[in-house]
Amino acid sequence: AQDATSAVLVSSSGSVASGQPVTLTVTITAPGTAPATADIFDGSMHVATVSLSPAGGGTYVGSWTSSSLAVGLHEFRAVLAGS
């Protein structure tokens, strides 16, 4: 059986003042696969595609920074591109 692919998305801050940058870091664990990119969504809206770099052990990491998020609650998620 092949191990499952997983995605973890971590924010640089839990809350950010309007106009301040926030960085989202995506960590993809994909044994036996070499993913190139991951997509970041805010709810159902695609907001970024990030390039992934090998971090060892079947893990790949990428990040995205924005200073232009609308005020309010955001529900970000990351998925392996093409999933």
Side-chain angles (χ1 to χ4, degrees):
Q2 185 179 16
D3 292 332
T5 298
S6 66
V8 175
L9 184 63
V10 177
S11 172
S12 60
S13 178
S15 64
V16 178
S18 180
Q20 294 299 308
V22 62
T23 298
L24 301 177
T25 301
V26 180
T27 302
I28 302 283
T29 302
T33 306
T37 60
D39 292 316
I40 298 176
F41 292 85
D42 184 358
S44 62
M45 185 174 71
H46 180 265
V47 294
T49 298
V50 298
S51 296
L52 299 171
S53 299
T59 300
Y60 302 83
V61 177
S63 63
W64 172 70
T65 301
S66 177
S67 298
S68 59
L69 296 175
V71 173
L73 181 65
H74 295 271
E75 295 185 24
F76 291 107
R77 63 186 174 92
V79 297
L80 191 58
S83 296

